[in-house]
Amino acid sequence: MIDIKMAEALNKQINEELYSAYLYLSMSAYFETLGLNGFAKWMRIQSKEELGHAMKIYDYLIKQNAEVKLLQIKEPPHSWDSLTHAIEAAYEHEKYITGKINELVTLSENLNDRATNSFLQWFIDEQVEEEKNTYELLRKVKMAEKHVGALLTLDKQVGEREED
Ligand code: OFO
């Protein structure tokens, strides 16, 4: 059984991860309206990954015999000024999530909760990947944004992403 403070914080993180899923699904729908099917597919897969992150924490709380509380998910934006702005927002969001994971790690240390600390290591590593992936995407989008041909080639390439 884990400390109530740790369980509360993990429940909040489930909500953050579900919001991430919502945000990226909203971006996916926005990219569909731009006719960028590759980017839409990439974000749809990303949204599913976020749901997976939420479920990882959900399952951990159950394993620890702690209460799972599903909190209200806030409404994400429905559109952005451009593809670049949306990907920029995704990168900023990943940095925000990294901060949240770091706060959880600090709390687990303060509570001397080694099991949760160990559980969170997966998220620490995952956030390095998440930031790297969105940053690389942002750099490519910035290079291609002014050339329709380059953008369409990038859209095709981005759409080759497969689910893990
Ligand atoms: Fe994108 O890593 Fe979870 O939120």
Short mmCIF file of all heavy atoms in Angstrom, two decimals, residues 11-24 51 54 69-76 93:
data_model
loop_
_atom_site.label_atom_id
_atom_site.label_comp_id
_atom_site.label_asym_id
_atom_site.label_seq_id
_atom_site.Cartn_x
_atom_site.Cartn_y
_atom_site.Cartn_z
N ASN A 11 -2.89 9.74 -9.26
CA ASN A 11 -4.21 9.92 -9.88
C ASN A 11 -4.24 11.19 -10.72
O ASN A 11 -4.83 11.22 -11.81
CB ASN A 11 -5.31 9.96 -8.81
CG ASN A 11 -5.82 8.55 -8.49
OD1 ASN A 11 -6.23 7.82 -9.38
ND2 ASN A 11 -5.79 8.18 -7.22
N LYS A 12 -3.58 12.25 -10.21
CA LYS A 12 -3.51 13.49 -11.01
C LYS A 12 -2.72 13.26 -12.29
O LYS A 12 -3.03 13.81 -13.34
CB LYS A 12 -2.86 14.62 -10.18
CG LYS A 12 -3.82 15.23 -9.19
CD LYS A 12 -3.29 16.57 -8.67
CE LYS A 12 -4.19 17.04 -7.54
NZ LYS A 12 -3.45 17.41 -6.34
N GLN A 13 -1.69 12.41 -12.19
CA GLN A 13 -0.88 12.14 -13.39
C GLN A 13 -1.68 11.33 -14.42
O GLN A 13 -1.51 11.55 -15.62
CB GLN A 13 0.43 11.44 -13.01
CG GLN A 13 1.42 11.35 -14.17
CD GLN A 13 1.86 12.72 -14.71
OE1 GLN A 13 1.91 13.69 -13.95
NE2 GLN A 13 2.16 12.79 -15.98
N ILE A 14 -2.54 10.45 -13.95
CA ILE A 14 -3.43 9.74 -14.89
C ILE A 14 -4.20 10.78 -15.69
O ILE A 14 -4.33 10.70 -16.92
CB ILE A 14 -4.41 8.78 -14.15
CG1 ILE A 14 -3.67 7.61 -13.54
CG2 ILE A 14 -5.51 8.30 -15.11
CD1 ILE A 14 -4.57 6.63 -12.78
N ASN A 15 -4.71 11.79 -14.97
CA ASN A 15 -5.47 12.84 -15.64
C ASN A 15 -4.62 13.61 -16.65
O ASN A 15 -5.07 13.92 -17.76
CB ASN A 15 -6.05 13.78 -14.57
CG ASN A 15 -6.96 14.82 -15.17
OD1 ASN A 15 -6.56 15.94 -15.42
ND2 ASN A 15 -8.20 14.43 -15.44
N GLU A 16 -3.36 13.89 -16.28
CA GLU A 16 -2.45 14.59 -17.21
C GLU A 16 -2.24 13.76 -18.47
O GLU A 16 -2.19 14.28 -19.58
CB GLU A 16 -1.08 14.84 -16.55
CG GLU A 16 -1.08 15.76 -15.35
CD GLU A 16 -1.15 17.24 -15.71
OE1 GLU A 16 -1.27 17.58 -16.90
OE2 GLU A 16 -1.09 18.06 -14.78
N GLU A 17 -2.08 12.45 -18.29
CA GLU A 17 -1.83 11.58 -19.43
C GLU A 17 -3.08 11.47 -20.31
O GLU A 17 -2.97 11.44 -21.54
CB GLU A 17 -1.39 10.18 -18.96
CG GLU A 17 -0.13 10.15 -18.12
CD GLU A 17 1.14 10.57 -18.88
OE1 GLU A 17 1.12 10.59 -20.12
OE2 GLU A 17 2.13 10.88 -18.21
N LEU A 18 -4.25 11.42 -19.66
CA LEU A 18 -5.49 11.38 -20.45
C LEU A 18 -5.67 12.70 -21.21
O LEU A 18 -6.14 12.71 -22.35
CB LEU A 18 -6.69 11.08 -19.55
CG LEU A 18 -6.74 9.66 -18.98
CD1 LEU A 18 -7.91 9.51 -18.01
CD2 LEU A 18 -6.85 8.60 -20.08
N TYR A 19 -5.28 13.80 -20.56
CA TYR A 19 -5.34 15.09 -21.27
C TYR A 19 -4.38 15.09 -22.46
O TYR A 19 -4.72 15.59 -23.54
CB TYR A 19 -5.03 16.27 -20.34
CG TYR A 19 -5.02 17.57 -21.12
CD1 TYR A 19 -6.21 18.17 -21.53
CD2 TYR A 19 -3.81 18.16 -21.50
CE1 TYR A 19 -6.20 19.33 -22.30
CE2 TYR A 19 -3.79 19.32 -22.27
CZ TYR A 19 -4.99 19.90 -22.67
OH TYR A 19 -4.98 21.04 -23.44
N SER A 20 -3.20 14.50 -22.27
CA SER A 20 -2.24 14.41 -23.39
C SER A 20 -2.89 13.65 -24.54
O SER A 20 -2.77 14.06 -25.71
CB SER A 20 -0.97 13.67 -22.96
OG SER A 20 -0.32 14.32 -21.90
N ALA A 21 -3.58 12.55 -24.23
CA ALA A 21 -4.25 11.77 -25.27
C ALA A 21 -5.30 12.61 -25.99
O ALA A 21 -5.43 12.59 -27.22
CB ALA A 21 -4.90 10.53 -24.66
N TYR A 22 -6.04 13.39 -25.21
CA TYR A 22 -7.10 14.26 -25.74
C TYR A 22 -6.50 15.35 -26.64
O TYR A 22 -7.00 15.65 -27.71
CB TYR A 22 -7.78 14.91 -24.53
CG TYR A 22 -9.28 14.77 -24.48
CD1 TYR A 22 -9.93 13.63 -24.92
CD2 TYR A 22 -10.06 15.81 -23.95
CE1 TYR A 22 -11.30 13.53 -24.84
CE2 TYR A 22 -11.42 15.72 -23.87
CZ TYR A 22 -12.05 14.58 -24.31
OH TYR A 22 -13.40 14.48 -24.23
N LEU A 23 -5.42 15.95 -26.13
CA LEU A 23 -4.74 17.03 -26.86
C LEU A 23 -4.24 16.54 -28.22
O LEU A 23 -4.46 17.17 -29.25
CB LEU A 23 -3.57 17.56 -26.02
CG LEU A 23 -2.69 18.62 -26.66
CD1 LEU A 23 -3.45 19.93 -26.87
CD2 LEU A 23 -1.44 18.89 -25.79
N TYR A 24 -3.59 15.37 -28.22
CA TYR A 24 -3.01 14.88 -29.46
C TYR A 24 -4.09 14.37 -30.43
O TYR A 24 -3.93 14.46 -31.63
CB TYR A 24 -1.95 13.81 -29.16
CG TYR A 24 -0.76 14.38 -28.40
CD1 TYR A 24 -0.03 13.61 -27.50
CD2 TYR A 24 -0.39 15.71 -28.58
CE1 TYR A 24 1.06 14.15 -26.80
CE2 TYR A 24 0.69 16.25 -27.88
CZ TYR A 24 1.40 15.47 -27.01
OH TYR A 24 2.46 16.02 -26.32
N LEU A 51 -2.67 7.21 -23.87
CA LEU A 51 -3.66 6.40 -23.16
C LEU A 51 -2.94 5.24 -22.46
O LEU A 51 -3.25 4.88 -21.32
CB LEU A 51 -4.69 5.88 -24.18
CG LEU A 51 -5.97 5.29 -23.64
CD1 LEU A 51 -6.70 6.25 -22.74
CD2 LEU A 51 -6.87 4.89 -24.82
N ALA A 54 -1.38 6.46 -19.28
CA ALA A 54 -2.39 6.58 -18.22
C ALA A 54 -2.69 5.20 -17.63
O ALA A 54 -2.78 5.03 -16.41
CB ALA A 54 -3.67 7.21 -18.79
N LYS A 69 -8.83 7.20 -9.04
CA LYS A 69 -9.87 8.24 -9.16
C LYS A 69 -9.72 8.91 -10.52
O LYS A 69 -8.71 9.57 -10.77
CB LYS A 69 -9.68 9.30 -8.06
CG LYS A 69 -10.06 8.84 -6.68
CD LYS A 69 -9.96 10.03 -5.73
CE LYS A 69 -9.98 9.58 -4.30
NZ LYS A 69 -9.41 10.58 -3.40
N LEU A 70 -10.72 8.73 -11.35
CA LEU A 70 -10.66 9.36 -12.67
C LEU A 70 -11.26 10.76 -12.57
O LEU A 70 -12.44 10.93 -12.30
CB LEU A 70 -11.40 8.51 -13.69
CG LEU A 70 -10.77 7.13 -13.93
CD1 LEU A 70 -11.58 6.31 -14.92
CD2 LEU A 70 -9.32 7.25 -14.41
N LEU A 71 -10.40 11.76 -12.77
CA LEU A 71 -10.80 13.16 -12.60
C LEU A 71 -11.28 13.73 -13.94
O LEU A 71 -11.04 13.14 -15.00
CB LEU A 71 -9.61 13.96 -12.08
CG LEU A 71 -8.91 13.36 -10.84
CD1 LEU A 71 -7.61 14.08 -10.54
CD2 LEU A 71 -9.83 13.38 -9.62
N GLN A 72 -11.90 14.88 -13.86
CA GLN A 72 -12.41 15.53 -15.08
C GLN A 72 -11.27 15.92 -16.02
O GLN A 72 -10.27 16.50 -15.59
CB GLN A 72 -13.19 16.78 -14.69
CG GLN A 72 -13.92 17.39 -15.85
CD GLN A 72 -14.88 18.48 -15.41
OE1 GLN A 72 -14.94 18.84 -14.25
NE2 GLN A 72 -15.64 18.99 -16.34
N ILE A 73 -11.46 15.62 -17.29
CA ILE A 73 -10.43 15.96 -18.29
C ILE A 73 -10.78 17.30 -18.91
O ILE A 73 -11.91 17.49 -19.37
CB ILE A 73 -10.35 14.89 -19.41
CG1 ILE A 73 -10.13 13.51 -18.80
CG2 ILE A 73 -9.23 15.22 -20.40
CD1 ILE A 73 -10.37 12.37 -19.78
N LYS A 74 -9.81 18.23 -18.91
CA LYS A 74 -10.14 19.55 -19.47
C LYS A 74 -10.19 19.50 -21.01
O LYS A 74 -9.62 18.59 -21.64
CB LYS A 74 -9.21 20.63 -18.93
CG LYS A 74 -7.84 20.66 -19.48
CD LYS A 74 -7.09 21.88 -18.92
CE LYS A 74 -5.73 21.95 -19.59
NZ LYS A 74 -4.59 21.76 -18.79
N GLU A 75 -10.89 20.48 -21.55
CA GLU A 75 -11.08 20.52 -23.01
C GLU A 75 -9.80 21.03 -23.68
O GLU A 75 -9.29 22.08 -23.29
CB GLU A 75 -12.25 21.45 -23.31
CG GLU A 75 -12.70 21.44 -24.73
CD GLU A 75 -13.95 22.30 -24.92
OE1 GLU A 75 -14.81 22.34 -24.01
OE2 GLU A 75 -14.05 22.92 -25.98
N PRO A 76 -9.31 20.31 -24.69
CA PRO A 76 -8.10 20.80 -25.37
C PRO A 76 -8.47 21.84 -26.42
O PRO A 76 -9.63 21.95 -26.80
CB PRO A 76 -7.56 19.53 -26.04
CG PRO A 76 -8.77 18.72 -26.33
CD PRO A 76 -9.78 19.03 -25.25
N HIS A 93 4.27 20.86 -24.49
CA HIS A 93 3.48 20.00 -23.61
C HIS A 93 4.33 18.85 -23.06
O HIS A 93 4.24 18.50 -21.88
CB HIS A 93 2.25 19.46 -24.35
CG HIS A 93 1.37 18.64 -23.47
ND1 HIS A 93 0.63 19.19 -22.44
CD2 HIS A 93 1.12 17.30 -23.42
CE1 HIS A 93 -0.02 18.24 -21.80
NE2 HIS A 93 0.26 17.08 -22.37
#
